[in-house]
Amino acid sequence: MNAHAPSAATLVGTLSLGGDGPTVVVKDCIDIAGTVTGCGSAAFADAAPATEHAEIVNALLNAGCKITGKANMHELAFGMTGVNVFTGTPINPMWPDRIPGGSSSGSAVAVAAGLCDFAVGTDTGGSIRQPATCCGIFGIKPTFGRISRKGLTPKDSSLDCPGILARDMEMLTKGMAAIDPTFKAEAMIHAPKLGRIKSEGVDPEIGDPLVYALMDAYPDMPYEFLPSLEAAFDAGMVVMSYEMAQEFGPMLDAGASFGPDIVARLSNARKVTEAQYAKAQDIRHRFTAEVDALLDTYDALITPSLPTFPPTLDAAKDPQNVLSLTRYQRPFNLSGHPALTLPARSNSGLPIGLQIIGPRGEDAKLCAIASWISSCISLFQPKDRTQ
């Protein structure tokens, strides 16, 4: 399978900012001084340029990285397909008939197409990990609060995390060190102790290759159960919707030029009540405790990255084909644990992935575990993107 050239919609602007280190593109909901933070939306197209860099951009520059562009995205970072009627839809380089994923679509495509060494995205409910899997690359959502959100849109979120997308674990780890000076790379000296989360509703063409690959390395890996996993998936949507409605609802009232999918999502989001939001917070506390308890026993937990293959662009027009994609990702935005996805391919050559979840604050250890798995299990080793 040959990689396709990225579309003009991958980047919304090119830059040459910083040193001689790794080249980076930054999602267009992150402030870069002198540029408009467009958020993939006509509603922000005429906004004044940012007057200062987001703190994560300053960290990249201080680390010697060279920022080469701003990446396109699903409008307002409020969608999973990456389809954007205003800025255009980035083309998935390896599977051009399928969605690039959202909301960090441009970041994932830029990395997969080789336009940069790594990219910065944001992840509110799978928005780094899902497009990473769709495009066949690596992606990490750090521990919530570890990376500063100052200079990001939305400004207020209890779920959203900036993180890194890269073509291999070495560069992903370098990216983490660049955005977080406290991050110190680690190495595994023995096989990590992993717990496999019981996952319902996974397409056998996805689940079987993952299970068989893991069985070769971990023949006795136990299954574990997170009782509140499904409730946490639903609660994460409640929290996301409520918080997005608080931030962007007034713009909707004022007639902002949002795309039709965003108008529909914001309109539905405004129906979420304070009582529903409070109940979702109760589920957050319960689910977080369940994850913490398992991570007292294991170095990390694993799930499939996606339960189904990324839908085709045509199939994604039906929301029912998209709603479950982040079934195993969004719950860990609610809990705040770091989560990382390793790319793989099914027997038919379609994109699948393994998600690894680590203890809060132990992002470097999570990266070390992912590097160990990637180096030891062939299914998760980086693939030549031209093949």
Side-chain angles (χ1 to χ4, degrees):
M1 183 186 299
N2 293 321
H4 285 66
S7 69
T10 302
L11 303 179
V12 295
T14 57
L15 297 165
S16 182
L17 186 66
D20 297 324
T23 56
V24 186
V25 300
V26 176
K27 189 176 178 179
D28 196 28
C29 59
I30 300 173
D31 288 350
I32 296 180
T35 71
V36 173
T37 304
C39 299
S41 179
F44 290 92
D46 296 324
T51 58
E52 60 184 15
H53 296 319
E55 288 191 357
I56 191 172
V57 171
N58 282 325
L60 289 167
L61 297 176
N62 289 338
C65 296
K66 183 175 183 178
I67 299 175
T68 58
K70 297 198 80 174
N72 196 3
M73 56 185 283
H74 199 113
E75 186 175 3
L76 297 191
F78 202 22
M80 292 181 283
T81 64
V83 173
N84 191 310
V85 297
F86 175 62
T87 54
T89 301
I91 294 174
N92 187 327
M94 295 303 299
W95 298 275
D97 63 328
R98 295 183 182 267
I99 63 170
S103 61
S104 302
S105 53
S107 297
V109 169
V111 169
L115 299 184
C116 56
D117 292 320
F118 69 87
V120 176
T122 61
D123 191 315
T124 310
S127 291
I128 287 173
R129 292 160 290 157
Q130 187 249 19
T133 303
C134 290
C135 293
I137 61 173
F138 297 72
I140 184 172
K141 175 198 81 68
T143 301
F144 180 79
R146 178 170 188 139
I147 311 299
S148 171
R149 296 194 68 260
K150 185 178 179 181
L152 273 63
T153 301
K155 292 180 173 56
D156 296 309
S157 174
S158 67
L159 302 171
D160 188 45
C161 302
I164 301 296
L165 303 96
R167 288 184 296 278
D168 57 50
M169 276 306 305
E170 181 180 4
M171 187 56 67
L172 186 141
T173 302
K174 288 181 179 179
M176 278 297 295
I179 63 173
D180 178 8
T182 71
F183 181 96
K184 304 300 180 187
E186 299 181 10
M188 297 299 296
I189 58 175
H190 54 74
K193 185 178 182 182
L194 303 177
R196 182 167 41 182
I197 301 302
K198 187 70 174 176
S199 305
E200 303 292 341
V202 179
D203 187 322
E205 289 188 70
I206 291 173
D208 289 352
L210 298 178
V211 168
Y212 294 144
L214 290 166
M215 283 177 61
D216 286 342
Y218 293 93
D220 300 319
M221 185 187 302
Y223 275 111
E224 296 289 354
F225 183 58
L226 286 169
S228 300
L229 183 66
E230 288 296 323
F233 174 70
D234 293 334
M237 191 70 244
V238 169
V239 172
M240 182 194 308
S241 296
Y242 183 88
E243 294 177 350
M244 291 292 280
Q246 296 302 303
E247 183 144 352
F248 297 112
M251 293 181 66
L252 187 65
D253 289 339
S257 299
F258 294 135
D261 66 318
I262 299 302
V263 170
R265 293 197 77 183
L266 283 175
S267 297
N268 287 329
R270 301 192 80 183
K271 298 175 184 177
V272 176
T273 66
E274 290 188 9
Q276 290 172 316
Y277 184 68
K279 182 178 179 181
Q281 298 294 358
D282 290 340
I283 295 170
R284 184 203 292 261
H285 296 312
R286 184 173 78 235
F287 179 68
T288 301
E290 291 172 5
V291 179
D292 285 342
L294 280 183
L295 287 170
D296 284 341
T297 301
Y298 297 100
D299 293 317
L301 308 175
I302 60 170
T303 74
S305 183
L306 304 181
T308 63
F309 294 122
T312 63
L313 289 162
D314 188 58
K317 294 175 183 176
D318 183 350
Q320 295 302 315
N321 294 326
V322 178
L323 291 174
S324 68
L325 284 179
T326 57
R327 182 175 185 175
Y328 302 114
Q329 296 173 350
R330 189 190 303 158
F332 301 101
N333 292 87
L334 194 72
S335 68
H337 292 84
L340 188 158
T341 184
L342 302 179
R345 294 181 186 175
S346 71
N347 294 333
S348 60
L350 291 175
I352 62 176
L354 183 75
Q355 179 177 233
I356 312 169
I357 303 100
R360 286 178 289 173
E362 297 189 20
D363 303 56
K365 182 178 180 181
L366 178 65
C367 288
I369 292 170
S371 296
W372 190 92
I373 293 174
S374 180
S375 66
C376 294
I377 303 178
S378 62
L379 184 67
F380 306 113
Q381 291 170 2
K383 304 295 187 294
D384 183 339
R385 62 189 178 88
T386 66
Q387 298 300 311

